[in-house]
Amino acid sequence: MSALAELLAEGRERRIYSGAAWSVGGAEGPLDRGWTGSRGWEGPPLDGDDVWDLASVTKPIVGLAVMALVEQGTLGLDDTVGTHLPAYRDGDKADVTVRHLLTHTSGIPGQVPLYRDHPTRASLLEAVRLLPLTARPGTRVQYSSQGFIVLGLVAEAASGQPLDTLVERLVCAPLGMCDTVFRPDAGRRARAVATEDCPWRGRPVVGEVHDENAAVLGGVGGHAGLFSTLADMELLGAALAAGGRGLLTPATFALMTAAHTDGLALRRALAWQGRDPVGSPAGEVFGPDSYGHTGFTGTSLWVDPATRRYAVLLTNRVHPTRAGDGIVALRRAFNDAAALPPPVASHRGHGVE
Protein backbone atom coordinates (compact mmCIF):
# COMPACT_ATOMS: atom_id res chain seq x y z
CA MET A 1 0.00 0.00 0.00
CA SER A 2 1.02 3.62 -0.49
CA ALA A 3 1.75 5.80 2.52
CA LEU A 4 -1.68 7.42 2.08
CA ALA A 5 -3.39 4.03 2.01
CA GLU A 6 -1.60 2.99 5.19
CA LEU A 7 -2.48 6.27 6.93
CA LEU A 8 -6.16 6.01 6.07
CA ALA A 9 -6.40 2.31 6.87
CA GLU A 10 -5.00 3.19 10.29
CA GLY A 11 -7.74 5.80 10.67
CA ARG A 12 -10.35 3.08 10.27
CA GLU A 13 -8.52 0.87 12.76
CA ARG A 14 -8.70 3.77 15.22
CA ARG A 15 -12.44 4.01 14.45
CA ILE A 16 -12.25 7.62 13.31
CA TYR A 17 -14.52 6.55 10.42
CA SER A 18 -15.82 3.36 8.87
CA GLY A 19 -14.51 4.31 5.45
CA ALA A 20 -12.32 6.75 3.54
CA ALA A 21 -11.56 7.52 -0.09
CA TRP A 22 -8.74 9.70 -1.36
CA SER A 23 -7.16 11.11 -4.45
CA VAL A 24 -3.97 13.11 -4.91
CA GLY A 25 -3.06 14.49 -8.30
CA GLY A 26 -2.65 17.45 -10.56
CA ALA A 27 -4.06 19.18 -13.59
CA GLU A 28 -3.89 15.96 -15.64
CA GLY A 29 -5.67 13.82 -13.05
CA PRO A 30 -4.90 11.49 -10.15
CA LEU A 31 -1.46 10.21 -9.20
CA ASP A 32 -2.58 8.15 -6.22
CA ARG A 33 -6.13 7.19 -5.33
CA GLY A 34 -8.00 4.55 -3.41
CA TRP A 35 -10.46 3.68 -0.70
CA THR A 36 -10.48 1.70 2.50
CA GLY A 37 -13.21 0.39 4.77
CA SER A 38 -16.96 0.26 4.39
CA ARG A 39 -20.00 2.50 3.91
CA GLY A 40 -20.98 1.96 7.53
CA TRP A 41 -19.72 -0.11 10.41
CA GLU A 42 -22.34 -2.66 9.44
CA GLY A 43 -22.43 -1.74 5.75
CA PRO A 44 -20.91 -3.11 2.54
CA PRO A 45 -17.29 -2.42 1.63
CA LEU A 46 -16.50 0.71 -0.33
CA ASP A 47 -16.15 0.10 -4.07
CA GLY A 48 -14.93 3.47 -5.35
CA ASP A 49 -18.36 4.49 -6.69
CA ASP A 50 -19.62 5.51 -3.26
CA VAL A 51 -21.60 8.71 -2.66
CA TRP A 52 -20.36 11.00 0.12
CA ASP A 53 -21.97 13.91 1.97
CA LEU A 54 -19.55 16.78 1.30
CA ALA A 55 -20.91 18.92 4.16
CA SER A 56 -19.18 22.33 4.07
CA VAL A 57 -17.10 21.48 1.02
CA THR A 58 -20.41 22.56 -0.53
CA LYS A 59 -19.41 26.16 0.23
CA PRO A 60 -16.55 26.59 -2.25
CA ILE A 61 -18.51 24.74 -4.94
CA VAL A 62 -21.37 27.18 -4.44
CA GLY A 63 -18.69 29.88 -4.41
CA LEU A 64 -17.54 28.79 -7.87
CA ALA A 65 -21.11 29.22 -9.14
CA VAL A 66 -21.29 32.65 -7.51
CA MET A 67 -18.01 33.68 -9.14
CA ALA A 68 -19.35 32.54 -12.51
CA LEU A 69 -22.30 34.90 -11.96
CA VAL A 70 -19.83 37.65 -11.08
CA GLU A 71 -17.87 36.96 -14.26
CA GLN A 72 -21.08 37.12 -16.30
CA GLY A 73 -22.03 40.45 -14.74
CA THR A 74 -25.15 38.99 -13.11
CA LEU A 75 -23.79 39.67 -9.63
CA GLY A 76 -21.15 41.98 -8.20
CA LEU A 77 -18.80 41.32 -5.32
CA ASP A 78 -19.78 44.66 -3.81
CA ASP A 79 -23.50 44.13 -4.34
CA THR A 80 -25.31 44.31 -1.03
CA VAL A 81 -27.74 41.80 0.39
CA GLY A 82 -30.39 44.53 0.48
CA THR A 83 -30.00 45.09 -3.26
CA HIS A 84 -31.13 41.56 -4.06
CA LEU A 85 -33.27 40.57 -1.06
CA PRO A 86 -36.01 43.13 -0.32
CA ALA A 87 -36.83 41.52 3.04
CA TYR A 88 -33.33 42.46 4.25
CA ARG A 89 -33.40 46.13 3.29
CA ASP A 90 -34.50 47.46 6.66
CA GLY A 91 -32.34 45.14 8.78
CA ASP A 92 -28.75 45.06 9.99
CA LYS A 93 -27.63 42.91 7.03
CA ALA A 94 -28.75 45.32 4.31
CA ASP A 95 -25.21 46.56 3.64
CA VAL A 96 -23.47 43.20 3.92
CA THR A 97 -21.83 42.53 0.55
CA VAL A 98 -21.30 39.41 -1.51
CA ARG A 99 -17.58 39.77 -0.77
CA HIS A 100 -18.31 39.81 2.99
CA LEU A 101 -20.35 36.63 2.66
CA LEU A 102 -17.70 34.84 0.60
CA THR A 103 -14.91 35.73 3.06
CA HIS A 104 -16.87 35.03 6.26
CA THR A 105 -16.53 38.68 7.29
CA SER A 106 -20.25 39.49 7.19
CA GLY A 107 -20.69 39.54 10.96
CA ILE A 108 -23.52 37.01 10.66
CA PRO A 109 -23.20 34.49 13.52
CA GLY A 110 -21.64 31.16 12.67
CA GLN A 111 -22.90 27.73 13.65
CA VAL A 112 -26.38 28.34 15.07
CA PRO A 113 -28.67 25.29 15.51
CA LEU A 114 -31.77 27.08 14.20
CA TYR A 115 -33.40 23.78 13.24
CA ARG A 116 -34.24 23.10 16.89
CA ASP A 117 -36.80 25.90 17.06
CA HIS A 118 -37.60 26.43 13.38
CA PRO A 119 -38.85 23.21 11.75
CA THR A 120 -39.90 24.68 8.39
CA ARG A 121 -37.93 26.29 5.57
CA ALA A 122 -39.84 29.57 5.87
CA SER A 123 -39.39 29.86 9.62
CA LEU A 124 -35.70 28.94 9.48
CA LEU A 125 -34.99 31.50 6.76
CA GLU A 126 -36.79 34.14 8.78
CA ALA A 127 -34.67 33.20 11.79
CA VAL A 128 -31.53 33.67 9.68
CA ARG A 129 -32.76 37.10 8.62
CA LEU A 130 -33.32 38.12 12.24
CA LEU A 131 -29.98 36.87 13.64
CA PRO A 132 -28.20 39.95 15.06
CA LEU A 133 -24.77 40.69 13.64
CA THR A 134 -21.91 39.99 16.03
CA ALA A 135 -19.41 42.30 14.32
CA ARG A 136 -19.41 45.16 11.85
CA PRO A 137 -19.09 43.72 8.33
CA GLY A 138 -15.50 43.50 7.12
CA THR A 139 -13.88 43.73 10.55
CA ARG A 140 -13.58 40.09 11.66
CA VAL A 141 -13.39 36.62 10.16
CA GLN A 142 -16.09 34.48 11.76
CA TYR A 143 -16.94 31.23 10.01
CA SER A 144 -20.62 31.46 9.16
CA SER A 145 -22.80 28.77 7.64
CA GLN A 146 -25.69 31.19 8.07
CA GLY A 147 -23.82 33.68 5.92
CA PHE A 148 -23.61 31.12 3.12
CA ILE A 149 -27.33 30.43 3.45
CA VAL A 150 -27.83 34.13 2.72
CA LEU A 151 -25.31 33.94 -0.13
CA GLY A 152 -27.35 31.17 -1.74
CA LEU A 153 -30.48 33.30 -1.53
CA VAL A 154 -28.67 36.24 -3.11
CA ALA A 155 -27.40 34.07 -5.97
CA GLU A 156 -30.91 32.75 -6.59
CA ALA A 157 -32.42 36.25 -6.58
CA ALA A 158 -29.78 37.70 -8.90
CA SER A 159 -29.95 34.85 -11.41
CA GLY A 160 -33.63 33.94 -11.20
CA GLN A 161 -32.66 30.27 -10.85
CA PRO A 162 -32.67 27.82 -7.92
CA LEU A 163 -29.31 27.21 -6.26
CA ASP A 164 -29.14 23.55 -7.23
CA THR A 165 -29.73 24.50 -10.88
CA LEU A 166 -26.97 27.12 -10.70
CA VAL A 167 -24.44 24.67 -9.29
CA GLU A 168 -25.32 22.05 -11.89
CA ARG A 169 -25.20 24.53 -14.79
CA LEU A 170 -22.13 26.53 -13.80
CA VAL A 171 -19.91 23.96 -12.06
CA CYS A 172 -20.95 20.34 -12.43
CA ALA A 173 -22.00 20.21 -16.10
CA PRO A 174 -18.89 22.02 -17.44
CA LEU A 175 -16.63 19.53 -15.64
CA GLY A 176 -18.74 16.42 -16.25
CA MET A 177 -19.41 15.93 -12.54
CA CYS A 178 -22.49 13.76 -13.09
CA ASP A 179 -22.80 12.46 -9.52
CA THR A 180 -22.45 15.77 -7.65
CA VAL A 181 -25.96 16.74 -6.60
CA PHE A 182 -28.15 18.10 -3.88
CA ARG A 183 -30.87 15.66 -2.76
CA PRO A 184 -29.55 12.37 -4.20
CA ASP A 185 -32.06 10.19 -6.02
CA ALA A 186 -32.79 6.60 -5.05
CA GLY A 187 -29.95 5.19 -7.12
CA ARG A 188 -27.37 7.45 -5.53
CA ARG A 189 -28.82 6.93 -2.04
CA ALA A 190 -28.25 3.20 -2.52
CA ARG A 191 -24.52 3.97 -2.95
CA ALA A 192 -24.34 6.49 -0.10
CA VAL A 193 -21.99 6.27 2.84
CA ALA A 194 -23.65 6.42 6.28
CA THR A 195 -23.15 9.46 8.48
CA GLU A 196 -24.52 10.08 11.97
CA ASP A 197 -27.04 8.11 13.98
CA CYS A 198 -28.85 11.40 14.39
CA PRO A 199 -30.49 12.12 17.76
CA TRP A 200 -32.69 14.83 16.22
CA ARG A 201 -34.03 12.53 13.51
CA GLY A 202 -33.96 9.41 15.66
CA ARG A 203 -32.24 7.26 13.03
CA PRO A 204 -29.02 6.81 11.08
CA VAL A 205 -28.62 9.24 8.19
CA VAL A 206 -27.80 7.68 4.83
CA GLY A 207 -28.13 9.49 1.53
CA GLU A 208 -29.71 12.62 2.98
CA VAL A 209 -27.92 15.71 4.16
CA HIS A 210 -26.32 15.40 7.59
CA ASP A 211 -26.46 19.13 8.38
CA GLU A 212 -29.72 19.71 10.25
CA ASN A 213 -30.28 23.30 9.08
CA ALA A 214 -29.81 22.16 5.49
CA ALA A 215 -32.27 19.32 6.09
CA VAL A 216 -34.94 21.81 7.19
CA LEU A 217 -34.21 23.84 4.05
CA GLY A 218 -35.10 20.80 1.96
CA GLY A 219 -31.56 19.56 1.38
CA VAL A 220 -30.34 22.57 -0.61
CA GLY A 221 -28.33 25.33 1.05
CA GLY A 222 -25.43 27.59 0.24
CA HIS A 223 -23.60 26.10 3.21
CA ALA A 224 -24.21 22.34 2.90
CA GLY A 225 -26.16 19.71 1.02
CA LEU A 226 -23.99 18.54 -1.88
CA PHE A 227 -23.12 14.88 -2.32
CA SER A 228 -20.36 13.64 -4.59
CA THR A 229 -18.12 10.74 -5.55
CA LEU A 230 -14.38 10.32 -5.60
CA ALA A 231 -14.35 10.45 -9.42
CA ASP A 232 -16.26 13.74 -9.49
CA MET A 233 -14.04 15.31 -6.86
CA GLU A 234 -11.02 14.31 -8.94
CA LEU A 235 -12.49 16.24 -11.86
CA LEU A 236 -12.90 19.27 -9.64
CA GLY A 237 -9.45 18.90 -8.13
CA ALA A 238 -7.82 18.69 -11.55
CA ALA A 239 -9.72 21.76 -12.77
CA LEU A 240 -8.60 23.74 -9.72
CA ALA A 241 -5.00 22.56 -10.09
CA ALA A 242 -5.18 23.78 -13.70
CA GLY A 243 -6.15 27.28 -12.57
CA GLY A 244 -9.92 26.97 -12.81
CA ARG A 245 -9.92 25.28 -16.20
CA GLY A 246 -13.43 24.94 -17.61
CA LEU A 247 -14.97 27.05 -14.87
CA LEU A 248 -13.64 30.62 -14.77
CA THR A 249 -11.26 32.85 -16.67
CA PRO A 250 -7.72 32.95 -15.23
CA ALA A 251 -8.29 36.49 -13.94
CA THR A 252 -11.52 35.60 -12.12
CA PHE A 253 -10.03 32.44 -10.69
CA ALA A 254 -6.95 34.31 -9.47
CA LEU A 255 -9.25 36.82 -7.79
CA MET A 256 -11.23 34.03 -6.15
CA THR A 257 -8.23 32.20 -4.73
CA ALA A 258 -6.23 35.24 -3.57
CA ALA A 259 -6.29 36.33 0.07
CA HIS A 260 -8.98 38.92 0.79
CA THR A 261 -8.64 39.35 4.54
CA ASP A 262 -5.28 41.07 4.89
CA GLY A 263 -5.01 42.71 8.30
CA LEU A 264 -7.35 40.18 9.92
CA ALA A 265 -6.26 37.20 11.98
CA LEU A 266 -7.34 34.48 9.55
CA ARG A 267 -6.55 34.11 5.85
CA ARG A 268 -9.61 33.77 3.65
CA ALA A 269 -10.09 33.81 -0.11
CA LEU A 270 -13.51 34.02 -1.81
CA ALA A 271 -15.33 30.91 -0.49
CA TRP A 272 -11.98 29.24 0.22
CA GLN A 273 -9.96 28.98 3.39
CA GLY A 274 -6.37 30.10 3.02
CA ARG A 275 -3.45 28.57 4.85
CA ASP A 276 -3.55 30.13 8.31
CA PRO A 277 -0.25 30.68 10.15
CA VAL A 278 -1.12 28.20 12.91
CA GLY A 279 -3.34 25.11 12.97
CA SER A 280 -4.32 25.08 9.32
CA PRO A 281 -6.03 21.90 8.08
CA ALA A 282 -3.62 22.20 5.12
CA GLY A 283 -0.89 20.84 7.38
CA GLU A 284 2.71 22.03 7.23
CA VAL A 285 3.86 21.18 3.70
CA PHE A 286 1.36 22.79 1.33
CA GLY A 287 2.57 26.25 0.31
CA PRO A 288 1.54 29.63 1.75
CA ASP A 289 -0.75 30.37 -1.21
CA SER A 290 -2.60 27.06 -0.99
CA TYR A 291 -6.33 27.06 -0.40
CA GLY A 292 -9.04 24.57 0.41
CA HIS A 293 -11.99 23.67 2.59
CA THR A 294 -13.09 21.01 5.03
CA GLY A 295 -16.46 19.49 5.85
CA PHE A 296 -17.92 18.44 9.20
CA THR A 297 -18.66 14.92 7.95
CA GLY A 298 -14.91 14.38 7.50
CA THR A 299 -14.26 15.68 3.99
CA SER A 300 -11.46 17.87 2.68
CA LEU A 301 -10.23 19.42 -0.57
CA TRP A 302 -6.92 21.26 -0.70
CA VAL A 303 -5.01 22.76 -3.63
CA ASP A 304 -1.52 24.22 -3.96
CA PRO A 305 -1.23 26.49 -7.02
CA ALA A 306 2.58 26.55 -6.76
CA THR A 307 2.87 22.80 -7.33
CA ARG A 308 -0.46 22.39 -9.18
CA ARG A 309 -1.33 19.63 -6.71
CA TYR A 310 -4.77 18.76 -5.32
CA ALA A 311 -5.63 16.48 -2.39
CA VAL A 312 -9.14 15.09 -1.87
CA LEU A 313 -10.14 13.23 1.29
CA LEU A 314 -13.63 11.79 1.83
CA THR A 315 -14.58 10.14 5.13
CA ASN A 316 -17.63 9.59 7.31
CA ARG A 317 -16.04 10.59 10.61
CA VAL A 318 -19.47 11.43 12.15
CA HIS A 319 -20.55 7.79 11.88
CA PRO A 320 -22.10 6.69 14.12
CA THR A 321 -21.61 9.77 16.34
CA ARG A 322 -19.83 13.11 16.04
CA ALA A 323 -17.85 12.51 19.23
CA GLY A 324 -14.07 12.60 18.91
CA ASP A 325 -11.71 14.86 17.02
CA GLY A 326 -9.24 12.39 15.54
CA ILE A 327 -10.03 13.62 12.04
CA VAL A 328 -8.28 16.95 12.72
CA ALA A 329 -4.79 15.48 13.09
CA LEU A 330 -5.39 12.81 10.48
CA ARG A 331 -6.50 15.36 7.90
CA ARG A 332 -3.36 17.41 8.48
CA ALA A 333 -1.19 14.28 8.20
CA PHE A 334 -2.97 13.34 4.99
CA ASN A 335 -2.33 16.75 3.44
CA ASP A 336 1.31 16.67 4.52
CA ALA A 337 1.79 13.30 2.84
CA ALA A 338 -0.20 14.42 -0.21
CA ALA A 339 1.95 17.52 -0.66
CA LEU A 340 5.20 15.56 -0.87
CA PRO A 341 6.80 14.65 -4.24
CA PRO A 342 4.45 12.69 -6.52
CA PRO A 343 3.93 9.04 -5.53
CA VAL A 344 4.07 6.27 -8.09
CA ALA A 345 0.77 6.36 -9.97
CA SER A 346 -1.64 3.80 -8.56
CA HIS A 347 -5.34 3.06 -8.63
CA ARG A 348 -6.03 0.81 -5.74
CA GLY A 349 -8.93 0.05 -3.46
CA HIS A 350 -8.85 -1.51 -0.06
CA GLY A 351 -12.36 -2.60 0.75
CA VAL A 352 -12.93 -4.15 4.15
CA GLU A 353 -15.57 -6.82 4.44
Side-chain angles (χ1 to χ4, degrees), residues 152-207:
L153 298 176
V154 169
E156 289 181 331
S159 66
Q161 292 186 308
L163 185 61
D164 53 351
T165 299
L166 287 174
V167 170
E168 163 61 23
R169 179 171 66 85
L170 298 174
V171 182
C172 298
L175 296 184
M177 296 169 63
C178 59
D179 274 324
T180 302
V181 296
F182 293 97
R183 294 182 295 207
D185 59 18
R188 292 185 179 95
R189 289 197 301 272
R191 294 153 46 204
V193 178
T195 55
E196 189 174 14
D197 188 352
C198 177
W200 175 60
R201 280 169 270 210
R203 54 182 168 78
V205 177
V206 183

Side-chain angles (χ1 to χ4, degrees), residues 1-2 4-9 12 17-23 30 32-39 44-50 52 193 229-231 234 312-315 334 346-352:
M1 291 193 295
S2 71
L4 293 174
E6 292 178 359
L7 174 68
L8 296 171
R12 175 183 161 91
Y17 42 71
S18 76
W22 72 91
S23 179
D32 187 24
R33 71 193 301 263
W35 47 92
T36 185
S38 52
R39 292 177 181 169
L46 300 181
D47 62 13
D49 199 31
D50 316 280
W52 303 83
V193 178
T229 60
L230 182 64
E234 288 173 331
V312 169
L313 176 62
L314 304 171
T315 83
F334 170 81
S346 64
H347 299 270
R348 54 172 66 85
H350 304 284
V352 176

Side-chain angles (χ1 to χ4, degrees), residues 13-353:
E13 292 172 5
R14 293 166 53 200
R15 299 189 70 85
I16 297 174
Y17 42 71
S18 76
W22 72 91
S23 179
V24 176
E28 303 310 315
L31 294 166
D32 187 24
R33 71 193 301 263
W35 47 92
T36 185
S38 52
R39 292 177 181 169
W41 286 112
E42 298 179 357
L46 300 181
D47 62 13
D49 199 31
D50 316 280
V51 174
W52 303 83
D53 184 336
L54 294 181
S56 284
V57 176
T58 297
K59 291 181 175 73
I61 298 176
V62 167
L64 286 164
V66 168
M67 293 305 294
L69 295 178
V70 171
E71 189 170 273
Q72 295 167 7
T74 303
L75 193 60
L77 288 176
D78 295 318
D79 285 2
T80 65
V81 171
T83 298
H84 295 283
L85 302 178
Y88 281 73
R89 288 174 185 165
D90 295 326
D92 61 356
K93 302 172 191 63
D95 294 329
V96 168
T97 67
V98 171
R99 191 189 308 269
H100 292 144
L101 295 169
L102 285 166
T103 55
H104 297 276
T105 59
S106 66
I108 298 173
Q111 310 304 92
V112 185
L114 296 173
Y115 67 92
R116 294 176 181 170
D117 299 314
H118 303 282
T120 67
R121 175 180 171 84
S123 65
L124 191 143
L125 289 179
E126 179 66 0
V128 170
R129 186 181 73 84
L130 295 175
L131 281 173
L133 296 185
T134 59
R136 184 166 55 86
T139 63
R140 187 176 74 176
V141 175
Q142 179 185 15
Y143 184 74
S144 178
S145 286
Q146 278 66 42
F148 266 71
I149 291 173
V150 175
L151 179 66
L153 298 176
V154 169
E156 289 181 331
S159 66
Q161 292 186 308
L163 185 61
D164 53 351
T165 299
L166 287 174
V167 170
E168 163 61 23
R169 179 171 66 85
L170 298 174
V171 182
C172 298
L175 296 184
M177 296 169 63
C178 59
D179 274 324
T180 302
V181 296
F182 293 97
R183 294 182 295 207
D185 59 18
R188 292 185 179 95
R189 289 197 301 272
R191 294 153 46 204
V193 178
T195 55
E196 189 174 14
D197 188 352
C198 177
W200 175 60
R201 280 169 270 210
R203 54 182 168 78
V205 177
V206 183
E208 62 178 295
V209 63
H210 173 260
D211 182 275
E212 297 93 342
N213 286 341
V216 172
L217 293 176
V220 181
H223 69 303
L226 277 174
F227 288 74
S228 191
T229 60
L230 182 64
D232 273 13
M233 293 303 291
E234 288 173 331
L235 293 172
L236 178 59
L240 297 173
R245 178 183 61 201
L247 295 172
L248 301 169
T249 65
T252 303
F253 189 72
L255 176 66
M256 183 186 191
T257 56
H260 285 256
T261 56
D262 290 342
L264 301 181
L266 299 174
R267 185 180 177 92
R268 294 295 178 269
L270 299 177
W272 296 103
Q273 180 176 350
R275 190 175 181 276
D276 293 325
V278 178
S280 172
E284 302 297 328
V285 182
F286 269 117
D289 294 325
S290 63
Y291 60 89
H293 215 286
T294 61
F296 190 72
T297 52
T299 55
S300 175
L301 169 61
W302 213 267
V303 181
D304 191 339
T307 59
R308 293 166 64 90
R309 174 70 63 90
Y310 74 79
V312 169
L313 176 62
L314 304 171
T315 83
N316 62 339
R317 75 99 185 169
V318 294
H319 175 68
T321 77
R322 62 182 70 188
D325 60 0
I327 192 64
V328 174
L330 185 142
R331 205 153 35 191
R332 286 168 55 84
F334 170 81
N335 283 331
D336 282 345
L340 294 173
V344 176
S346 64
H347 299 270
R348 54 172 66 85
H350 304 284
V352 176
E353 298 292 343

